[in-house]
Amino acid sequence: MNGADDNQGSRELGEIIEILRAAVDTMIPADEWPGGWDGGVQRLIAEHGNGFLSRLRPLLTKACEALDLAAISTHSAGFAAVSDEEKREILDQVSGQPETTEAVEAIATLAFQGFYAGTSAPAGWEMLGFNPGPTAVSGEKYDEGTPLNRIAADYDVIIVGAGAGGGVVAAELADKGAHVLLIERARPMRASELRSNHLQGKRMQAYDTTAGPGAGNPRLLELSDGSVMTLPGEGDGGEYGLNAMTLGGGTRLWQGMSWRFYEEDFAMASTYGKPEGSTLADWPVSYRDLAPFYDRVEWELGVSGDAASDMARRTPRSRPYPMPALPGDEVRTILSASASTLGWKSSPVPFAINSIPRAGRPACAACGQCVGHACPVNAKNGTQNTFIPRALATGRCDLLMSAQATAVLHNGCGVATGVRVVVTTAEETQERVIRGRQIVVTAGAVETARLLLASGLGNEWVGRNHHTHGIATATALTGPRFEPRRGPGHSVASVDWVHRDRKAWGGGVIVDAPAMYPYTQAVLGRTAGHRWGLEHKRWMREIGAPLGTMSMVQEIPDSSSRVSIDPKVVDRNGMPVARLRGDAHPATREAVDFMVDRCVEWLEASSGRDIIRNVLYTAPQGAEHSAGTARMADDPALGATSAEGLLYGTRNVFVADASLHPTNGGFNPGLTVMANAMRVASTIH
């Protein structure tokens, strides 16, 4: 917003502030704890200003005017002046009118986000006993990258994207003696910037996103009715795709669940058949091909787990995990016992988190906010603190940050010559062309496809086969309760429904649901009928942390799902934006519906009752597990790249991220992305 808009926004806010405060404190009234206004909303407005309010302000103004009008018409006094009981009656009345329901919900959004999420340590955190842990690493070191004036004119290898795949490839090739440039779009960020309030964390990203692309970086989503929706680069991270744009990519903010795919995951079409309307295919490599790279990544990244568990035994390995599993908790005890009554096996979750001090970094501190946030003690392992430092330590790898690759340059005959990058600093924006003998694209499934398409590279499979995971969740509103849980937030898993009896298209792993952040719990309460008022606050305090389960379900890629580039819309650097569309294949819906029943079954066996079930069949806009847009195949008629990641139609352009995955397994794919990137790097000379 410009200055004039900001000033106007302040005048409008000032005119309704008394009404707004009264409404917020009616929704979250004071008891032994502060009301919503003093408990966080006032500070949220002060900290985020009109940039935050610009999205809610028209609705807030409409709601406050409607509340005031209703109060005057029935009580001859403004809303802020009537009694508390009258305020509640008016709120119920106005919120029940179709023309003002959405506007009143905007006040509720403001109230609940401010009290439970929107500032550092809002009152709702203390009320629920939520402890996020340290806000930053003491004495933290972070890499600002190589200054632009020290970037060479040419390199042996240029890698676009310093996430899971790019970080591994950089380390492998620098170790082999190549002169490497690793390009990262994000600016340098301290851990403290990635551990603040929950509304700026990767899981919420409601306002002023920290690890998102920022303003001027939209995507377009084609909806089933033919309309097109703009997904802004700032704002709701779930809407945009839950991307993490920072050094290390998703591995800096992930929860670190590190599973190997099963043998059947590499042969889905052979195992289950190809359903009509899908693009289901086998991988051109097998589990046996990837096993030695899984082993290396587990040890070089650092994974804690139980090699004797049923889960580990189903993926043949040459040695155990480098660290024992993270300690158990009450949730693991309860769900393990109930799994036994069902005849299921269960085991600890393997995590890329130090369970013991390792590699000069401490063990997990079990902070209250793991997933979506940087680790406060640097115990969470990602490429930013393992593979990338290893690459830089060789002296043969440069790291260029705040740099967006807008094109891979080539001679039109399949030979890439370099990349065009736009480097943005606080002082200026510069465009540079950097030459490279080999180009490796590791920007994530959406951005990799976008870059290749914008560069005019690849065959008709580039951008096709886009898929993520189906998600099934179940939450028991009645049953076992816990104190606010500590990190990492998951504890126990069952793999009994992964490729079991050829049911549910491979199904997926079931784990305990992630530990709920206070705002997530508040939204659950409103969904369950605890709308607002003192009753809501009592419910929040009494329910504790509810028991939940969730499944990461194998998605059957649909032929309609793809990433393309828009012919007209460009981002702030003039690059065509990604255009996404897609639907969930009926086979995916079948699998998700089957697995949500298993999630409920596990809860019921654990004495869970009043169960809320929720399903997500696909994420056409992209998600943190996006895959498949440059899939591997032995034949260019069946995929975009060879088994070695070489882009068909080129001699020296490789892909080494989740874009290569023909299918994405029934697990979090991070470990597989890194293992496969290591395998691809072994073929690049």
Side-chain angles (χ1 to χ4, degrees), residues 601-615:
E601 187 177 1
W602 201 359
L603 281 188
E604 289 177 339
S606 307
S607 300
R609 299 292 181 267
D610 300 324
I611 294 172
I612 294 177
R613 59 176 67 203
N614 190 39
V615 297

Side-chain angles (χ1 to χ4, degrees), residues 1-230:
M1 298 175 60
N2 60 37
D5 287 339
D6 286 350
N7 290 337
Q8 180 63 30
S10 297
R11 289 197 299 273
E12 290 181 5
L13 180 61
E15 292 169 1
I16 65 168
I17 202 75
E18 187 178 3
I19 307 169
L20 184 61
R21 175 173 185 162
V24 164
D25 282 341
T26 302
M27 291 177 170
I28 305 181
D31 48 14
E32 58 264 50
W33 300 94
W37 189 262
D38 291 338
V41 171
Q42 183 179 24
R43 187 163 40 164
L44 173 62
I45 292 173
E47 287 185 1
H48 291 273
N50 289 302
F52 149 60
L53 288 173
S54 64
R55 288 181 283 279
L56 286 183
R57 189 178 62 220
L59 287 172
L60 294 174
T61 300
K62 180 179 179 179
C64 288
E65 289 174 348
L67 292 172
D68 218 35
L69 181 61
I72 292 170
S73 64
T74 55
H75 302 289
S76 301
F79 180 78
V82 301
S83 70
D84 290 346
E85 182 177 352
E86 289 166 341
K87 289 187 181 77
R88 289 192 295 271
E89 291 174 352
I90 293 168
L91 262 176
D92 288 337
Q93 171 195 336
V94 175
S95 67
Q97 297 169 350
E99 64 273 18
T100 50
T101 297
E102 183 184 8
V104 175
E105 281 300 306
I107 298 181
T109 296
L110 175 66
F112 281 75
Q113 288 182 344
F115 191 76
Y116 291 112
T119 60
S120 300
W125 288 9
E126 185 178 1
M127 184 182 82
L128 298 179
F130 174 77
N131 180 8
T135 57
V137 178
S138 178
E140 175 193 10
K141 297 178 181 178
Y142 75 112
D143 206 304
E144 295 186 312
T146 307
L148 183 59
N149 61 10
R150 287 176 47 198
I151 296 297
D154 58 81
Y155 289 84
D156 294 328
V157 182
I158 298 175
I159 303 168
V160 179
V168 170
V169 173
E172 292 293 290
L173 297 184
D175 275 350
K176 291 197 294 187
H179 187 203
V180 175
L181 174 63
L182 181 59
I183 297 173
E184 173 50 48
R185 179 177 176 177
R187 63 177 177 83
M189 282 178 266
R190 295 183 180 273
S192 55
E193 295 180 79
L194 299 167
R195 285 193 61 78
S196 57
N197 67 67
H198 292 175
L199 297 183
Q200 292 178 285
K202 176 171 173 272
R203 284 281 153 173
M204 297 283 295
Q205 286 192 338
Y207 315 112
D208 305 327
T209 60
T210 303
N217 293 284
R219 290 174 176 170
L220 300 179
L221 177 63
E222 297 180 21
L223 303 177
S224 57
D225 63 3
S227 61
V228 178
M229 177 181 180
T230 298

Side-chain angles (χ1 to χ4, degrees), residues 155-158 436-440 651-654 684-685:
Y155 289 84
D156 294 328
V157 182
I158 298 175
R437 186 169 60 84
Q438 310 267 25
I439 310 297
V440 185
R651 300 180 189 178
N652 62 342
V653 178
F654 294 82
I684 299 175
H685 303 289

Side-chain angles (χ1 to χ4, degrees), residues 385-398:
N385 58 7
T386 55
F387 289 98
I388 293 173
R390 190 179 104 200
L392 299 176
T394 66
R396 292 184 291 273
C397 178
D398 291 333

Side-chain angles (χ1 to χ4, degrees), residues 358-369:
R358 188 173 189 268
R361 292 182 285 110
C364 175
C367 75
Q369 53 183 30

Side-chain angles (χ1 to χ4, degrees), residues 383-454:
T383 57
Q384 82 287 345
N385 58 7
T386 55
F387 289 98
I388 293 173
R390 190 179 104 200
L392 299 176
T394 66
R396 292 184 291 273
C397 178
D398 291 333
L399 171 63
L400 181 59
M401 298 195 68
S402 303
Q404 180 183 347
T406 58
V408 176
L409 306 176
H410 55 95
N411 64 3
C413 299
V415 177
T417 57
V419 297
R420 181 170 63 242
V421 297
V422 177
V423 184
T424 303
T425 65
E427 294 77 27
E428 60 180 340
T429 296
Q430 294 187 44
E431 183 174 287
R432 287 277 298 272
V433 171
I434 306 170
R435 296 189 297 275
R437 186 169 60 84
Q438 310 267 25
I439 310 297
V440 185
V441 184
T442 56
V446 173
E447 293 299 317
T448 286
R450 176 191 177 203
L451 178 60
L452 295 176
L453 291 167

